[in-house]
Amino acid sequence: MSKAIETRLIDLVPEPHQLALKTVGQPCVFDQTDTETLPHQQLTNAMARDQAGWHYQFIPLNNWHILAWPKAISPDLCIVFASQHFSLSWLTQRPQFASLLRQMGYQYQLQKNQQLLKKKVQAKQAFAEQAEEQKIQEAQFIESLMLLQNINLKLSNASSLDQLHKQAVESLRSPLGFDRSALFLMNPLTATFNPTYGTDAHGNTTDEHTHVYDVHKMSPVFMQTCLETKDYFVVLEDVPLFTDSYIVGHGWNAMLILRDGEAFLGWIALDNLINNKPITRHDKEILRSFSHMFSQILVRKRAEESLKMLYNSFEQLSHADTVLDVCRAAVLLAKKELMLDRVAIFLSDDNGKTIRGTYGTDINGQLVDETWYHTLVPKSTLIQDAIANENVLVVEEPATLYHNNEPVGTGWNAILQLRSDNKVIGFIFADNLVHGHTLNLHTQQLIRIFGANLSEMIARKQAEEDLIKLNKQLEDKVQLRTLELELANQNLAQTNLKLEQLIQTDSLTGVANRRSLDLCLNRAWHQACRHQLPLIVTMLDIDNFKPYNDHYGHLQGDEALKSVAHLLATHFRRADDTIARYGGEEFAVVMLGVNLTEAAARINQAIQSLASKKLSHQASPLGFISLSAGIAQLDNAQPQSEKTLLNQADVALYQAKKNGKNQLAIFTLDTLP
């Protein structure tokens, strides 16, 4: 409204005065004395009259008296006058005043039209902005759907269930762009939910495995949505936001519910604490899709991990050589695959009455040898429950945790019996002393699967060890029997050797007998003929032996024979030398590979050696025992027979006797009679 028109209009009104510009429902005050508002209904009734130009009317309301209304110019504009010095007739008699009123009406209508046009422009602009915003949101929605596909692939390829939990929490923050997220898994056996990973007030990932919460402490809306509906998403707007039970802000709080069919698995919590970004319709659709997707991946990954753990445990345990090796490998597997803090495996040989240690972990979770441990099964309620419940992991929480019978902390304690052939063969003990992680339902299921595998492998190895033990006993018996047979064979061989020696040895002198001489001469003869080797046969005889026997007796004669045999044995010790008693007082010596000259020298040495001993022989012309010898040599060009050789040596011996005894004679053709 023009200020100049307002001033001129006020100047025309007699003093004292009040003047105010009114519109339907909203007064416009010209001066500060307007403290009242004309009733809307009364103003409307007055303006509803169908009159051209200005309409003036007296209104007896408080100190408002006159209403001026330019209907033809501005239907919703009126001016109210209050003055004790002028009347309606005065007002109608002032054309200047009416002209100002018309100017005011035109100007008001112009401003009104301008405002209306401005509103239309603003509305059109707002609509365009809204359309552009919607277009942007739709583009972001499509982009988020594409991101979901990449996230789906990434989560599906998670290396472990724990890695899947962490990646799911982080994927909601980046790349999907939400502020804070946390994954909670339901444990229906204990009516609790276990957080895995979450987000702090600064947007960093936090490990929440040490916490456990009661289901009944959830928000009623969330609890009802999780347990009594089939929804996958619920959001609360304008609510307090919490961290560790403390209010840290205000905004929206959402829950992505995870389901396997109708089974409730857990949820992912979300809020907008950090950036305070409102949640849009597209955000909700993306989160519903994520909830469906992650539920399927979680169920599949749990099954995959169960099968993987089952295969890995069976594969690694099967490579163990003994029951103790199986238990050692099982403890290491339980720590690595099941992420258990402390594990110990005990065996029982009497259906659970006593237990003996194998391998376990110390207070820091390190592997230790506990084979020294052996005791009666403790009477604790936990162990008795484990014995009474086949294939059930018995858990006590909270529980006092022990090491070497001394309390070392609190947490959960779990026992699973190991069975085979309807008998208790051992137990798995586990607790969370080191890191304090909660025991979720999936881990409990994995422990039961692991226990079934371990039971089968222990039973198999025990059967193998029993078989090995039985085979060892049989082998020991066989070895003992074999040893006995070997000893018997050795004794038999020794006996046979003795018999052979008896057969081939002269019992009196200890040298070879006539039978052995024949065998040795035969072998030597064939070798000499085959390899063109010299072969010498010597016959020796104790001179005047019959008179010796007659004079000294046969016993002394036997001693003389022994002495001569011993002397010959000292002179003919080569491997190819054979000494034999040919008969009576006569001996034979066979020398292979020795020429005639050397053989004759050796025979002469033996004769002289005996003579030098001067063994008394009163019946001999020499006065001592002496030897006579005859040598025959094999003709390699025209070999004579073995018998011929012996005869030739005997002929030469006869010649030595004839020549005076105590000497050697060599066979020649001239020697023949």
Side-chain angles (χ1 to χ4, degrees):
M1 189 73 67
S2 172
K3 192 67 176 175
I5 295 175
E6 293 176 12
T7 303
R8 290 166 59 195
L9 188 61
I10 293 173
D11 289 342
L12 291 175
V13 178
E15 293 293 343
H17 65 267
Q18 280 191 330
L19 180 146
L21 178 65
K22 298 285 184 177
T23 59
V24 176
Q26 183 174 4
C28 180
V29 180
F30 275 32
D31 60 24
Q32 299 304 317
T33 60
D34 183 7
T35 58
E36 299 184 22
T37 301
L38 188 66
H40 181 274
Q41 187 61 41
Q42 187 171 357
L43 179 61
T44 302
N45 292 337
M47 295 172 66
R49 299 178 182 178
D50 187 12
Q51 296 182 13
W54 281 93
H55 174 74
Y56 304 100
Q57 181 181 0
F58 177 75
I59 303 175
L61 177 65
N62 297 331
N63 61 334
W64 298 102
H65 301 294
I66 300 174
L67 171 64
W69 175 36
K71 178 181 177 183
I73 300 173
S74 180
D76 55 353
L77 174 67
C78 65
I79 300 175
V80 180
F81 299 91
S83 176
Q84 57 187 338
H85 297 289
F86 68 88
S87 63
L88 183 59
S89 59
W90 179 89
L91 180 61
T92 56
Q93 294 173 2
R94 297 289 191 276
Q96 185 180 6
F97 194 87
S99 177
L100 287 174
L101 288 179
R102 279 194 296 272
Q103 290 182 33
M104 185 178 293
Y106 287 128
Q107 193 172 46
Y108 173 80
Q109 190 62 36
L110 177 62
Q111 290 180 352
K112 179 181 176 182
N113 292 337
Q114 289 176 344
Q115 290 176 354
L116 182 61
L117 179 60
K118 182 179 180 181
K119 288 181 180 180
K120 288 182 178 181
V121 171
Q122 290 176 344
K124 184 176 180 180
Q125 184 178 357
F127 178 80
E129 291 176 353
Q130 184 178 2
E132 183 65 24
E133 179 67 22
Q134 185 174 0
K135 183 178 179 181
I136 293 173
Q137 290 182 4
E138 289 176 353
Q140 291 176 346
F141 179 71
I142 294 173
E143 183 180 355
S144 298
L145 288 177
M146 296 176 65
L147 287 175
L148 274 181
Q149 294 181 356
N150 295 331
I151 293 171
N152 186 5
L153 181 61
K154 180 180 179 181
L155 296 181
S156 298
N157 294 327
S159 59
S160 67
L161 200 60
D162 183 70
Q163 191 67 20
L164 173 65
H165 298 162
K166 187 175 182 180
Q167 289 179 357
V169 168
E170 293 178 341
S171 295
L172 284 164
R173 299 201 310 268
S174 176
L176 290 181
F178 294 97
D179 284 7
R180 297 199 306 168
S181 58
L183 172 60
F184 299 83
L185 297 177
M186 179 68 180
N187 189 342
L189 296 180
T190 57
T192 58
F193 53 90
N194 310 118
T196 58
Y197 291 94
T199 313
D200 62 17
H202 304 289
N204 300 313
T205 302
T206 57
D207 189 330
E208 304 289 341
H209 286 87
T210 58
H211 301 293
V212 59
Y213 301 104
D214 190 342
V215 170
H216 301 292
K217 293 183 180 180
M218 292 173 58
S219 165
V221 175
F222 286 164
M223 181 181 294
Q224 180 183 8
T225 305
C226 291
L227 304 179
E228 300 180 15
T229 73
K230 297 182 180 180
D231 292 340
Y232 276 79
F233 179 79
V234 61
V235 60
L236 297 179
E237 302 276 5
D238 195 22
V239 293
L241 304 180
F242 292 85
T243 295
D244 295 333
S245 301
Y246 294 100
I247 296 177
V248 292
H250 214 80
W252 57 260
N253 192 6
M255 175 183 286
L256 279 64
I257 303 166
L258 310 175
R259 300 186 188 276
D260 179 15
E262 295 185 357
F264 175 54
L265 303 176
W267 71 91
I268 299 178
L270 289 169
D271 65 32
N272 63 338
L273 174 68
I274 300 174
N275 297 311
N276 297 317
K277 178 183 175 183
I279 188 167
T280 66
R281 176 175 60 86
H282 293 310
D283 289 337
K284 296 176 182 179
E285 292 301 321
I286 289 295
L287 292 175
R288 284 191 179 89
S289 299
F290 185 92
S291 182
H292 278 277
M293 176 195 74
F294 183 67
S295 294
Q296 296 173 3
I297 295 175
L298 180 62
V299 172
R300 184 171 67 250
K301 185 61 71 173
R302 281 183 173 182
E304 289 176 359
E305 186 154 302
S306 297
L307 291 175
K308 179 181 176 182
M309 191 279 299
L310 185 66
Y311 174 79
N312 287 342
S313 62
F314 189 85
E315 179 72 15
Q316 295 189 39
L317 295 178
S318 62
H319 291 311
D321 295 327
T322 66
V323 171
L324 280 178
D325 291 338
V326 169
C327 295
R328 185 180 188 277
V331 171
L332 295 175
L333 273 172
K335 285 176 56 60
K336 178 182 178 181
E337 300 291 341
L338 304 179
M339 293 187 294
L340 299 177
D341 285 2
R342 294 201 308 166
V343 185
I345 298 175
F346 296 88
L347 299 180
S348 177
D349 303 317
D350 47 17
N351 197 24
K353 295 179 182 178
T354 61
I355 55 175
R356 54 185 175 89
T358 60
Y359 285 90
T361 45
D362 61 18
I363 195 169
N364 299 313
Q366 301 300 314
L367 181 73
V368 291
D369 186 334
E370 295 181 340
T371 53
W372 54 269
Y373 187 82
H374 191 279
T375 185
L376 292 172
V377 172
K379 299 298 182 180
S380 71
T381 303
L382 193 62
I383 294 182
Q384 297 305 315
D385 287 347
I387 294 175
N389 293 278
E390 180 180 352
N391 197 31
V392 173
L393 182 68
V394 180
V395 181
E396 181 183 8
E397 183 179 12
T400 302
L401 306 182
Y402 292 86
H403 185 75
N404 293 336
N405 297 322
E406 295 291 333
V408 291
T410 57
W412 56 259
N413 197 4
I415 301 177
L416 176 69
Q417 63 163 294
L418 306 174
R419 294 182 67 88
S420 177
D421 293 333
N422 296 320
K423 292 182 180 179
V424 178
I425 62 172
F427 300 92
I428 299 177
F429 287 73
D431 64 38
N432 64 336
L433 175 66
V434 181
H435 299 104
H437 288 177
T438 57
L439 184 62
N440 59 51
L441 180 62
H442 180 63
T443 301
Q444 295 182 46
Q445 293 171 343
L446 289 180
I447 293 175
R448 287 198 294 271
I449 296 174
F450 180 77
N453 248 2
L454 180 58
S455 297
E456 179 182 350
M457 195 56 62
I458 289 176
R460 180 184 299 182
K461 290 299 177 182
Q462 285 178 337
E464 290 178 1
E465 288 184 358
D466 291 343
L467 181 59
I468 292 173
K469 185 177 180 181
L470 179 60
N471 289 336
K472 183 67 169 59
Q473 292 174 349
L474 292 175
E475 185 178 336
D476 290 343
K477 289 181 180 180
V478 170
Q479 289 181 349
L480 179 61
R481 183 60 179 162
T482 301
L483 181 61
E484 291 175 349
L485 290 175
E486 289 177 353
L487 291 174
N489 289 334
Q490 290 177 4
N491 292 333
L492 180 60
Q494 291 175 356
T495 301
N496 290 335
L497 180 61
K498 290 179 180 179
L499 289 174
E500 186 67 22
Q501 290 175 346
L502 289 174
I503 292 173
Q504 297 184 8
T505 305
D506 179 64
S507 59
L508 177 63
T509 61
V511 297
N513 58 16
R514 175 67 183 272
R515 179 175 180 276
S516 180
L517 173 66
D518 292 341
L519 294 174
C520 292
L521 179 59
N522 179 264
R523 287 195 298 268
W525 186 87
H526 282 89
Q527 285 184 307
C529 293
R530 184 182 305 113
H531 302 292
Q532 294 296 298
L533 298 174
L535 178 63
I536 304 297
V537 176
T538 303
M539 296 295 292
L540 300 99
D541 186 78
I542 299 176
D543 297 328
N544 305 306
F545 188 69
K546 186 176 182 302
Y548 187 89
N549 274 339
D550 293 343
H551 181 77
Y552 293 100
H554 288 286
L555 292 178
Q556 190 64 32
D558 290 344
E559 293 299 323
L561 290 172
K562 292 179 182 178
S563 297
V564 171
H566 179 69
L567 181 139
L568 293 175
T570 59
H571 282 80
F572 302 97
R573 294 179 293 183
R574 292 172 61 250
D576 292 329
D577 294 344
T578 300
I579 305 168
R581 186 181 177 189
Y582 194 75
E585 70 277 13
E586 196 170 13
F587 295 89
V589 176
V590 178
M591 289 176 278
L592 177 66
V594 178
N595 60 38
L596 182 61
T597 302
E598 183 182 353
R602 294 176 66 190
I603 292 295
N604 281 324
Q605 288 177 357
I607 293 173
Q608 293 170 9
S609 177
L610 180 62
S612 66
K613 290 183 178 297
K614 302 295 183 180
L615 298 177
S616 178
H617 188 348
Q618 296 292 333
S620 172
L622 298 175
F624 56 84
I625 297 175
S626 62
L627 280 173
S628 295
I631 287 181
Q633 181 181 14
L634 178 69
D635 184 358
N636 293 107
Q638 295 180 342
Q640 62 272 47
S641 67
E642 303 159 39
K643 184 177 180 181
T644 300
L645 271 174
L646 286 171
N647 288 334
Q648 290 175 352
D650 194 54
V651 169
L653 172 62
Y654 178 77
Q655 185 63 41
K657 293 279 190 181
K658 187 177 180 180
N659 292 340
K661 302 179 181 179
N662 193 31
Q663 58 185 280
L664 169 66
I666 300 175
F667 174 81
T668 63
L669 292 178
D670 297 337
T671 309
L672 292 173

